[in-house]
Amino acid sequence: MKGKSKLFTIGLVAAWYSSNIGVLLLNKYLLSNYGFKYPIFLTMCHMTACSLLSYIAIAWMKMVPMQTIRSRVQFFKISALSLVFCVSVVFGNISLRFLPVSFNQAVGATTPFFTAVFAYLMTMKREAWLTYVTLIPVVTGVIIASGGEPSFHLFGFIMCVAATGARALKSVLQGILLSSEGEKLNSMNLLLYMAPIAVVFLLPATLIMEENVVGITIALARDDMKIILYLLFNSALAYFVNLTNFLVTKHTSALTLQVYYILTQVFTCYTGKKMAGSLESWMHHRVNTLCV
């Protein structure tokens, strides 16, 4: 049983790695290379897809039993998680407009540090001293590497740091909601309730800060229908990222998830640099293949 459990966890981590890298590169392509400069609307598309696909998976396909929200306090915690999640994704997407993927991920490598701090402040949970020691060279290395970044942009850097802190806080909050005996929700039900609340937060922000984005998207689609395919595929992939994110947190811990995230960032940095010159042609090739 232990062997099967380890294989299952490895499979979850691998699925999370691949989907996380894929959605990050596609976000970068849409927001920077393609010129679709609407990060809040893009995040709302992600959350809308998560709402619909979660409901289909639970209510129609019966993948897991549907759970109900038990109290106002639990609803408040889920709403807080949704708000923090929106902040992390929106700020992260905004930073991608100003920073290269490699630098964005280098800054994001400090997430385990923030996670350890928030975990201690909110749950008084202490990790082994060796865990904290291993975080020191990671943070130090990121600071040194960021110092000579030629593409440094102050606003993008601030957004990236804010997204990193919010991502760490989200991991701790979702770990509490997934493990608390009094308010325990399985990962798929948590996503089912969290995603619609996130849409409620994002809709007014989209209407106010990204005026007429729907009309602009329709106009873009008339010139290039591939934008619809990009958004649909990106949104579906975002659902898979969030689902595997919750599952990995449940089967490991918030801090372990963020340590895994560093490895994803290293691979993404390498992949992003290798694909920087050919990302647009690669995306067109993939979409043409999907159309066939």
Side-chain angles (χ1 to χ4, degrees), residues 21-289:
I21 292 169
V23 78
L24 178 64
L25 292 176
L26 187 50
N27 283 349
K28 176 63 178 179
Y29 173 76
L30 286 171
L31 295 169
S32 182
N33 298 70
Y34 191 87
F36 188 78
K37 300 179 180 181
Y38 304 101
I40 302 177
F41 177 74
L42 182 61
T43 306
M44 192 176 73
C45 290
H46 292 175
M47 290 297 96
T48 302
C50 288
S51 302
L52 295 174
L53 294 175
S54 294
Y55 184 79
I56 291 172
I58 297 174
W60 291 3
M61 300 177 65
K62 308 292 184 182
M63 293 181 65
V64 295
M66 181 173 286
Q67 298 174 297
T68 58
I69 297 177
R70 301 176 183 178
S71 65
R72 291 184 179 180
V73 174
Q74 187 180 29
F75 176 77
F76 175 77
K77 290 182 178 179
I78 295 174
S79 299
L81 176 62
S82 299
L83 180 59
V84 173
F85 176 78
C86 290
V87 170
S88 69
V89 176
V90 170
F91 283 13
N93 285 341
I94 291 174
S95 70
L96 285 173
R97 290 181 57 186
F98 303 98
L99 301 174
V101 173
S102 56
F103 184 56
N104 183 285
Q105 294 301 282
V107 175
T110 59
T111 308
F113 169 77
F114 290 104
T115 304
V117 172
F118 284 129
Y120 178 74
L121 292 176
M122 298 181 66
T123 67
M124 300 304 292
K125 179 182 177 182
R126 293 185 178 182
E127 301 288 340
W129 67 270
L130 185 59
T131 302
Y132 295 111
V133 171
T134 58
L135 294 177
I136 296 175
V138 173
V139 176
T140 304
V142 169
I143 294 173
I144 295 173
S146 301
E149 173 59 44
S151 302
F152 181 83
H153 190 283
L154 181 59
F155 179 72
F157 177 75
I158 293 173
M159 290 293 99
C160 192
V161 172
T164 300
R167 188 185 304 119
L169 179 58
K170 175 186 71 70
S171 296
V172 176
L173 286 174
Q174 76 184 33
I176 294 172
L177 285 170
L178 288 171
S179 60
S180 175
E181 290 299 327
E183 302 172 346
K184 194 170 185 179
L185 288 172
N186 65 53
S187 57
M188 295 186 70
N189 275 273
L190 179 57
L191 184 58
L192 172 67
Y193 291 117
M194 191 197 77
I197 297 174
V199 173
V200 172
F201 285 132
L202 291 167
L203 181 58
T206 301
L207 295 176
I208 295 172
M209 301 177 66
E210 298 177 345
E211 187 177 357
N212 198 32
V213 63
V214 176
I216 294 172
T217 303
I218 293 174
L220 287 173
R222 290 172 181 168
D223 296 331
D224 184 8
M225 280 297 297
K226 292 174 184 176
I227 183 64
I228 302 299
L229 292 176
Y230 291 152
L231 292 174
L232 289 175
F233 179 70
N234 194 21
S235 299
L237 193 59
Y239 166 73
F240 196 66
V241 169
N242 286 286
L243 178 61
T244 53
N245 181 288
F246 286 135
L247 289 174
V248 171
T249 301
K250 181 179 180 180
H251 288 274
T252 56
S253 69
L255 183 58
T256 302
L257 175 69
Q258 299 307 329
V259 173
Y260 285 152
Y261 190 70
I262 292 180
L263 298 178
T264 307
Q265 292 166 332
V266 171
F267 183 79
T268 307
C269 289
Y270 173 78
T271 306
K273 289 180 178 179
K274 294 290 287 185
M275 294 178 63
S278 58
L279 183 57
E280 185 172 358
S281 62
W282 178 80
M283 286 302 306
H284 281 293
H285 169 70
R286 290 304 303 156
V287 172
N288 288 336
T289 303

